[in-house]
Amino acid sequence: MKLLIFAFFGGAHLLSLCSGKAIYKNGISKRTFQEMKEEIASYGDVAKAIINLAVYGKAQNRSYERLALLVDTVGPRLSGSKNLEKAIQIMYQNLQQDGLENVHLEPVRIPHWERGEESAVMLEPRIHKIAILGLGSSIGTPPEGITAEVLVVTSFDELQRRASEARGKIVVYNQPYINYSRTVQYRTQGAVEAAKVGAVASLIRSVASLSIYSPHTGIQEYQDGVPKIPTACITVEDAEMMSRMASRGIKIVIQLKMGAKTYPDTDSFNTVAEITGSKYPEQVVLVSGHLDSWDVGQGAMDDGGGAFISWEALSLIKDLGLRPKRTLRLVLWTAEEQGGVGAFQYYQLHKVNISNYSLVMESDTGTFLPTGLQFTGSEKARAIMEEVMSLLQPLNITQVLSHGEGTDINFWIQAGVPGASLLDDLYKYFFFHHSHGDTMTVMDPKQMNVAAAVWAVVSYVVADMEEMLPRS
């Protein structure tokens, strides 16, 4: 990919660009789309200056170094853990030291689950230690464990067809990986469906696009009126091996031990910082990622990268002496992995001001080299976002695709606020997702620089345009 180098533009010059007069009458725009295009095009020098600073200038590799310091120091950050609360306090101090405004913590209540000691051993037809990761909110086994014969299935349909064989057994799912959104149902619903037919536990093939014998954890959901059974993920390799054994008619017996426990909800915080708007400070462009992670690896990719390019976006804008007309608000969510728990409580607290939110942005699918922006909003808003993304032509990243949703911003999008998420190599993302492999080794500082530049350009321009993005 060809990258162009640009001269640095001083902050004073940048502040003089793109000033505009009010163009509203009774809350309705009087401008033509051509006039909006011209306004956006006038941000070309600003975009080049952001790119220059992030990719080639003094800020290059900053988001990577900041992230490495946090995750090497704190490690993984599971909801309810001391690690997460330590990370929140560190970030609170970091954002203050960075000179951002209105840095504060907003209290929330979040789930507290711990996996404890866990193991699985295949006893028949041979002794084989099985790598497992218990799934979030799973119950544990009795201290002596559960020893039972295995029923291997490849789908919920097959489980239903063989329901008479499932009672008293451990159901092993060896579902093929199609894509994450379609395949993840086996992780979230596998225990419930197995319990409905009398199984005593369930083991789910990890939802991963590639495996090097590493299980992937994640949240699972029990259902009222259905017995709760222990559930964990196993590696792709072990799921396929047991499937081959079962197809030959070989009896498989597993002993499963899980010390998982769920504790009462605990106190935590969403972490917030701002660059206050110069003209419409009550209006908001929200930039976000989540600070929590699962309790394996370092949570560097999911979602340390997204959280830190969101912080970096505000840092870049501040460093250039820019102050957009609207407030740029950074939110580092808590307990996203448990279903957007912190984000839902933020929405409940702030939705009274929903008309003042121009755009909500979340990066939570990795910070590999971006290929574009995913966006959900009206056709008029999409047309505007396409013009904004054209400012990133120097990086050859201009696509605007559909599906801008993210777990933490969906509440706003469903209420009509335009939403955006960063798109990069999802296939690679699911190599490491929710596994011991999610470490700083996955991260590339140069790719993070580019991701931060995209994030900063989009958030700044949308925050500084004279009008908010139109809604449906």
Side-chain angles (χ1 to χ4, degrees):
M1 179 173 62
K2 185 178 180 181
L3 297 176
L4 305 179
I5 299 178
F6 301 95
F8 180 78
F9 292 83
H13 173 67
L14 291 172
L15 283 172
S16 69
L17 295 172
C18 310
S19 60
K21 59 183 179 180
I23 39 64
Y24 290 102
K25 183 176 181 180
N26 299 325
I28 301 173
S29 171
K30 301 291 288 184
R31 295 192 305 169
T32 65
F33 181 66
Q34 181 60 35
E35 289 172 325
M36 294 180 186
K37 285 181 63 175
E38 291 171 0
E39 180 192 15
I40 295 168
S42 72
Y43 287 94
D45 286 344
V46 181
K48 290 174 183 177
I50 291 171
I51 292 167
N52 186 49
L53 179 60
V55 180
Y56 316 110
K58 291 182 179 179
Q60 64 178 311
N61 302 345
R62 181 169 61 185
S63 58
Y64 175 92
E65 295 297 339
R66 285 171 164 176
L67 175 61
L69 179 59
L70 179 81
V71 302
D72 288 345
T73 301
V74 176
R77 305 167 300 282
L78 183 64
S79 174
S81 69
K82 292 181 179 178
N83 280 15
L84 175 58
E85 297 317 304
K86 182 178 180 180
I88 289 170
Q89 293 302 322
I90 289 172
M91 288 308 301
Y92 175 69
Q93 295 170 8
N94 286 344
L95 297 173
Q96 288 181 313
Q97 292 169 2
D98 195 32
L100 297 176
E101 299 159 349
N102 194 24
V103 178
H104 65 281
L105 302 176
E106 298 190 1
V108 292
R109 296 283 290 174
I110 64 172
H112 180 191
W113 171 88
E114 295 180 3
R115 73 175 59 254
E117 296 294 322
E118 55 188 16
S119 65
V121 179
M122 185 170 70
L123 303 177
E124 296 182 36
R126 62 180 174 87
I127 301 296
H128 169 63
K129 185 177 180 181
I130 296 172
I132 67 168
L133 281 177
L135 293 176
S137 79
S138 176
I139 64 169
T141 65
E144 68 276 13
I146 293 172
T147 301
E149 189 177 343
V150 163
L151 172 67
V152 181
V153 298
T154 58
S155 67
F156 290 141
D157 287 342
E158 182 181 357
L159 178 63
Q160 290 303 313
R161 291 195 304 271
R162 303 178 65 186
S164 61
E165 303 174 51
R167 182 162 298 279
K169 293 182 180 176
I170 296 173
V171 169
V172 170
Y173 292 95
N174 181 39
Q175 76 286 346
Y177 181 84
I178 300 170
N179 56 48
Y180 184 75
S181 60
R182 288 185 61 181
T183 311
V184 74
Q185 63 178 320
Y186 287 91
R187 191 193 76 205
T188 57
Q189 302 169 32
V192 165
E193 295 305 315
K196 286 178 180 177
V197 292
V200 293
S202 64
L203 298 174
I204 294 96
R205 169 176 164 159
S206 289
V207 185
S209 50
L210 177 75
S211 180
I212 51 170
Y213 200 75
S214 179
H216 297 236
T217 189
I219 198 69
Q220 66 89 35
E221 300 169 358
Y222 289 125
Q223 185 175 311
D224 290 345
V226 178
K228 294 180 180 181
I229 60 174
T231 183
C233 269
I234 59 176
T235 66
V236 173
E237 292 88 341
D238 280 339
E240 290 185 341
M241 178 187 68
M242 286 189 276
S243 184
R244 292 192 301 272
M245 288 177 168
S247 70
R248 301 179 191 124
I250 296 173
K251 179 181 178 181
I252 304 167
V253 175
I254 286 177
Q255 182 186 64
L256 176 67
K257 292 184 178 181
M258 293 175 60
K261 292 183 180 179
T262 297
Y263 298 93
D265 287 357
T266 188
D267 294 326
S268 188
F269 303 93
N270 292 318
T271 308
V272 183
E274 295 180 343
I275 296 176
T276 307
S278 62
K279 189 172 182 179
Y280 309 114
E282 75 285 357
Q283 296 175 9
V284 175
V285 168
L286 187 149
V287 185
S288 70
H290 66 87
L291 199 54
D292 68 292
S293 72
W294 284 101
D295 56 337
V296 291
Q298 292 181 295
M301 183 193 73
D302 183 17
D303 180 36
F308 275 66
I309 68 159
S310 296
W311 173 17
E312 183 67 13
L314 269 67
S315 287
L316 291 166
I317 291 162
K318 177 186 64 66
D319 289 350
L320 287 169
L322 296 165
R323 184 174 293 276
K325 297 181 182 73
R326 257 165 232 97
T327 294
L328 265 177
R329 180 175 298 161
L330 166 69
V331 183
L332 304 179
W333 310 108
T334 193
E336 184 275 346
E337 297 293 2
Q338 283 62 43
V341 175
F344 176 71
Q345 291 174 63
Y346 176 91
Y347 175 72
Q348 292 297 317
L349 180 65
H350 294 275
K351 66 181 179 180
V352 65
N353 297 314
I354 195 168
S355 63
N356 282 328
Y357 281 72
S358 181
L359 177 67
V360 290
M361 301 167 61
E362 179 177 22
S363 173
D364 187 22
T365 52
T367 48
F368 302 117
L369 192 65
T371 55
L373 191 77
Q374 293 179 276
F375 179 77
T376 298
S378 68
E379 286 305 310
K380 288 181 179 179
R382 174 175 294 275
I384 291 170
M385 293 302 292
E386 288 172 351
E387 296 301 316
V388 172
M389 287 299 290
S390 71
L391 297 170
L392 289 155
Q393 183 59 51
L395 294 174
N396 196 29
I397 301 168
T398 59
Q399 290 188 94
V400 178
L401 301 104
S402 57
H403 304 299
E405 294 83 2
T407 298
D408 294 310
I409 59 173
N410 281 348
F411 310 107
W412 299 92
I413 293 173
Q414 290 163 5
V417 178
S421 57
L422 195 67
L423 179 64
D424 55 22
D425 190 348
L426 282 179
Y427 189 76
K428 183 178 180 182
Y429 178 77
F430 289 113
F431 292 0
F432 309 104
H433 179 255
H434 295 183
S435 77
H436 287 287
D438 182 357
T439 69
M440 282 305 298
T441 300
V442 175
M443 311 304 289
D444 183 314
K446 293 181 179 179
Q447 293 182 356
M448 286 190 72
N449 293 340
V450 175
V454 172
W455 222 223
V457 168
V458 171
S459 61
Y460 175 76
V461 173
V462 174
D464 197 58
M465 291 176 61
E466 189 59 37
E467 293 187 43
M468 291 175 61
L469 290 177
R471 302 188 186 181
S472 301

